[in-house]
Amino acid sequence: MSSALSTPTRYVRRMSAIERGYLFASTAGGTPQLIQTVIEGDGRLDPAELAHAVEVATDANPGMAVTRKNSNWRGGGPRPPVTVLPDSTELVHSDRGDIVGAAPLYEDIDVVRGPVAEILLQPGPRTRLVVRASHIVTDGRGLQHWLADVFRVLRGTDPVGSPATVNDTHFLAAAGKVAPVAGTGKIPTQPTMLGSGPASGRPLWVRRTVPAAPKGVTARIAAAVSGRLPAECGHVLVPVDLRRHDRSIDSTANLTAQLLVPVERGGDWRRIHSRLLTGLLRKHEVAQQLGRDFRNTNPFVNSLTEAAQYTGDAFPAAAIISDHGPFDLTRYAAPTFAPDTIYTLPMLVPYVEMFVSAFQLDDRTELTVGARERPGAVEAARALLDDTAALLLSD
């Protein structure tokens, strides 16, 4: 189904430093900076009803129908389209946990002309939705807010909406006084942990369901990653939602700051968890973001020329670890559709070797590793998930 232009709106939002960073990463690395969330369940969704719900929800969340104009996001762009794929399309299928995706999952999204998001709908014995959005424009929480509104409309209720036009500067100010954090300087690269040899430039995804949902998921994943560090020390990045500093404002903007966490090889997850909590309590994600000159203070890369020198066989950061926490799937339920699982297809980031995503669903944890396709990568990712599962199942 083709998208229609949104109702004209005066929505204008200044592009934030965070969003510029993702735009820079997209340009430097040549890899799509996308959020791709997969929802599966029983029942069916009527394509026309879903498309109507997307229109209503998007008009209530104009930040999901923007186009880029210089340094601004302007509303009134194309609404996210709903594309129905034939039952025979192998959109996502698994082989020993490896996720093999169809061509649409590797295509980029144009933030200049829009639309900045889309929904792929695959009907069948089980309905599957793949919700795709540019991470330059929104983040995981923003996308979830909009998608929850889509399903509110499907259930016959009004969308909550989010017309706010503030960007990260508002939430950084709302955090109040924050003590500075000493700079790390340029972080040295380390050889790959997931396979070796030339990378194809395409992402691969490996998925695992672990029958446990303990506390400290982020730290346990970080500990599993640290066990494979080629050097004595390394770094992981933990996305932190800046909305926590002003919960009165709903926004679909990209408001995710990165918390840089040092880890030692084979580190204990409890120590990493304590370090992570300390960073959050001291608002280190704010301190690391305030006053940042991306060109001069980024610990990974400072120019497009420098970024072009990365060959994909060594990285400053080992992993991004995004734990969505306990997740209520009923927010994506409809009268004719009952979801029973959710997971993501993590994007490639130019300066990070892998991206690990987690959702806790009742008494299980859904994990996905996103990495570069290279010899031995799938087997290494499976082994990493074995280590992670063991830690999730431990006391």
Side-chain angles (χ1 to χ4, degrees):
M1 294 186 178
S2 61
S3 61
L5 288 179
S6 299
T7 302
T9 176
R10 294 183 178 180
Y11 182 94
V12 178
R13 176 165 58 81
R14 185 79 172 172
M15 183 181 292
S16 69
I18 291 175
E19 291 163 341
R20 285 184 180 279
Y22 280 89
L23 183 63
F24 183 92
S26 176
T27 304
T31 53
Q33 299 296 288
L34 301 176
I35 305 169
Q36 301 195 91
T37 300
V38 183
I39 302 164
E40 300 176 357
D42 295 325
R44 63 181 298 276
L45 290 168
D46 180 85
E49 292 179 1
L50 178 59
H52 172 71
V54 167
E55 291 181 359
V56 175
T58 303
D59 289 348
N61 296 273
M64 295 302 296
V66 295
T67 55
R68 181 186 169 206
K69 183 69 172 178
N70 298 323
S71 296
N72 292 321
W73 300 115
R74 294 187 177 274
R79 296 186 181 101
V82 175
T83 301
V84 182
L85 301 177
D87 294 356
S88 59
T89 303
E90 288 190 308
L91 183 61
V92 176
H93 71 274
S94 297
D95 178 15
R96 296 183 59 192
D98 316 344
I99 297 176
V100 183
L105 302 179
Y106 302 102
E107 295 176 359
D108 204 352
I109 287 176
D110 185 351
V111 297
V112 175
R113 294 177 297 180
V116 297
E118 66 175 352
I119 294 179
L120 305 179
L121 172 62
Q122 186 174 35
R126 280 175 58 79
T127 292
R128 178 182 290 120
L129 291 173
V130 181
V131 186
R132 309 177 76 240
S134 172
H135 210 340
I136 302 170
V137 172
T138 190
D139 59 11
R141 297 297 185 191
L143 188 67
Q144 290 168 15
H145 177 89
W146 169 74
L147 190 58
D149 268 355
V150 171
F151 278 91
R152 286 188 182 97
V153 176
L154 286 171
R155 294 193 297 268
T157 61
D158 293 331
V160 172
S162 62
T165 58
V166 297
N167 61 18
D168 58 350
T169 57
H170 168 86
F171 295 90
L172 293 172
K177 187 175 182 180
V178 178
V181 176
T184 60
K186 190 61 65 65
I187 297 175
T189 62
Q190 294 191 27
T192 60
M193 296 176 281
L194 302 184
S196 60
S200 71
R202 278 167 58 108
L204 64 84
W205 299 294
V206 180
R207 182 183 168 205
R208 183 72 56 84
T209 301
V210 180
K215 295 180 179 180
V217 169
T218 299
R220 293 172 196 254
I221 297 171
V225 171
S226 76
R228 297 177 176 272
L229 287 173
E232 289 297 321
C233 300
H235 291 83
V236 299
L237 291 167
V238 178
V240 179
D241 183 8
L242 291 177
R243 295 171 186 80
R244 74 191 186 106
H245 301 296
D246 184 356
R247 299 187 183 278
S248 67
I249 295 179
D250 290 318
S251 173
T252 60
N254 186 343
L255 297 169
T256 298
Q258 302 290 353
L259 182 63
L260 186 65
V261 182
V263 293
E264 295 78 31
R265 185 164 57 194
D268 181 80
W269 75 264
R270 296 171 185 83
R271 180 175 298 178
I272 297 173
H273 187 60
S274 177
R275 188 174 296 164
L276 178 59
L277 291 179
T278 297
L280 291 173
L281 287 171
R282 295 179 179 175
K283 306 176 186 178
H284 282 177
E285 87 282 5
V286 174
Q288 290 168 358
Q289 191 70 33
L290 282 173
R292 169 171 286 186
D293 178 346
F294 193 83
R295 285 188 174 182
N296 298 318
T297 64
N298 188 303
F300 305 125
V301 67
N302 302 126
S303 69
L304 291 175
T305 301
E306 185 178 346
Q309 297 174 1
Y310 280 93
T311 60
D313 56 3
F315 301 91
I320 292 176
I321 302 171
S322 180
D323 174 22
H324 296 81
F327 198 86
D328 180 11
L329 273 176
T330 61
R331 64 195 302 192
Y332 299 152
T336 59
F337 175 67
D340 54 33
T341 196
I342 183 171
Y343 54 94
T344 66
L345 305 176
M347 66 188 186
L348 300 182
V349 177
Y351 327 119
V352 184
E353 178 169 5
M354 71 186 82
F355 196 134
V356 187
S357 173
F359 286 88
Q360 290 178 286
L361 304 175
D362 297 326
D363 57 354
R364 73 183 194 272
T365 301
E366 293 287 352
L367 298 168
T368 314
V369 173
R372 286 157 182 80
E373 189 178 62
R374 70 172 80 242
V378 168
E379 294 77 12
R382 289 177 186 157
L384 173 67
L385 287 175
D386 287 342
D387 296 344
T388 303
L391 286 168
L392 291 175
L393 291 164
S394 67
D395 295 333

